[in-house]
Amino acid sequence: MRMETVLFDLDGTLIDTNELIIASFTHTIEKYADRPYTREEIIDFIGPPLIDSFQKVNPDLVEEMMATYREHNYAHHEQYVEAYPTVVETINELKQAGLKLGIVTTKLSDTAKLGLKITGMDQLFDVLIGLDDVENAKPHPEPILKAMNLLHANPMTTLMVGDNYHDIEAGHNAGVKTAGGVAWSLKGRKVLEKHDPDYMLEEMRDLLAIVGVE
C-alpha cells in the first residue's frame, strides 16, 4: 500500500545536531555533575527527553540542568547544525509528490523550528509536534497520534522515520509503519534492528522507493 503520510524525527534523522547535542550536554554536565562523563556516556543520552537523561546525572537539579542545556543548545545552533546528505532533496520530492509531511520531535518547538530554518526546510512540513505540544513524549504514541490527527492521516498509510529506539517504539505504539535511518545514526544498525523497524534506510533517498514515489 502506497504511503500517504511520512512523519520524521528531527535530530539525528533529518539534521545533524550530534556534535551540538554532545557539546550542550558536556557544557551542562561540567557545571552540575559530580564527575566527568565520557563521550560514549553522553551519546547514550541522545534521543530521549532531557528530563530522563538529567535524572540520571543529578535528580536534584534537573530543571536547572535543562535550562542550562537549552540556553547553550539554542545559542550554538548555527555553529553546528546542517542537514544530512540527500535529506533536503528527498523531502522536496516527497512534498512535490503530494505526501503529507510532519515532524515529531522531543525538542521544544521553537528550537526545532530554528533547526529547520537553518537547513532551509522550514516551509516543507505540514505539522510540527514538539515536546511542549504533548503530555507524553515518544515512545508514547501521543506525539504521532496528534500529528496524524492534525493531518487527517490513516495509520495504514503512515510511516514514522527515526534514528533511535524511541522513534521506532512510538511508531509501533501508534500502529504505523516504521523506518530506521542507520547509515548516519550514532546508535548504529544493530541497536535499531532490535526494535524491529519495518524498513532500514542507508540514506534518506531510500524513502522514495519505500513510499512509492519512484
Side-chain angles (χ1 to χ4, degrees):
M1 185 179 293
R2 186 181 188 276
M3 293 291 116
E4 297 174 350
T5 304
V6 186
L7 304 176
F8 296 89
D9 175 51
L10 184 59
D11 288 1
T13 299
L14 297 182
I15 62 176
D16 185 354
T17 52
N18 290 328
E19 293 306 320
L20 171 63
I21 293 170
I22 290 168
S24 296
F25 268 119
T26 300
H27 169 76
T28 305
I29 286 169
E30 284 176 351
K31 188 172 181 179
Y32 291 100
D34 59 359
R35 65 174 178 84
Y37 278 60
T38 66
R39 181 180 173 88
E40 289 69 29
E41 286 178 302
I42 290 172
I43 286 172
D44 282 341
F45 291 148
I46 296 177
L50 289 177
I51 190 170
D52 295 346
S53 297
F54 287 137
Q55 282 281 357
K56 299 175 183 177
V57 176
N58 190 333
D60 296 325
L61 294 172
V62 170
E63 292 298 325
E64 293 89 338
M65 296 176 78
M66 288 170 62
T68 298
Y69 174 98
R70 285 172 174 152
E71 181 180 4
H72 181 279
N73 191 273
Y74 195 91
H76 293 83
H77 252 68
E78 292 200 38
Q79 179 182 344
Y80 287 95
V81 173
E82 61 183 4
Y84 283 108
T86 79
V87 164
V88 177
E89 52 265 48
T90 299
I91 300 301
N92 271 299
E93 288 191 49
L94 294 172
K95 184 79 171 176
Q96 291 165 14
L99 276 80
K100 302 171 188 174
L101 304 176
I103 299 289
V104 180
T105 176
T106 54
K107 295 180 84 162
L108 294 177
S109 297
D110 284 349
T111 312
K113 290 173 184 175
L114 177 61
L116 290 173
K117 184 175 183 180
I118 290 169
T119 53
M121 293 189 288
D122 49 321
Q123 301 300 313
L124 298 179
F125 296 91
D126 304 300
V127 67
L128 186 153
I129 303 298
L131 184 63
D132 44 334
D133 296 314
V134 294
E135 295 292 328
N136 304 286
K138 296 177 293 184
H140 194 282
E142 182 190 350
I144 293 178
L145 295 175
K146 185 167 185 175
M148 287 197 298
N149 183 56
L150 292 171
L151 294 170
H152 305 291
N154 179 351
M156 297 294 291
T157 57
T158 297
L159 179 69
M160 176 67 206
V161 182
D163 72 310
N164 214 321
Y165 74 91
H166 67 295
D167 301 310
I168 307 305
E169 295 207 350
H172 292 328
N173 292 336
V176 304
K177 296 288 187 182
T178 58
V182 298
W184 58 95
S185 171
L186 278 179
K187 304 293 182 176
R189 174 182 285 271
K190 288 184 178 179
V191 171
L192 287 181
E193 283 181 337
K194 290 177 183 176
H195 299 276
D196 298 319
D198 297 286
Y199 307 99
M200 297 289 269
L201 309 178
E202 294 300 331
E203 62 176 4
M204 191 57 73
R205 189 167 181 83
D206 295 344
L207 262 186
L208 299 177
I210 290 170
V211 302
V213 170
E214 68 172 22

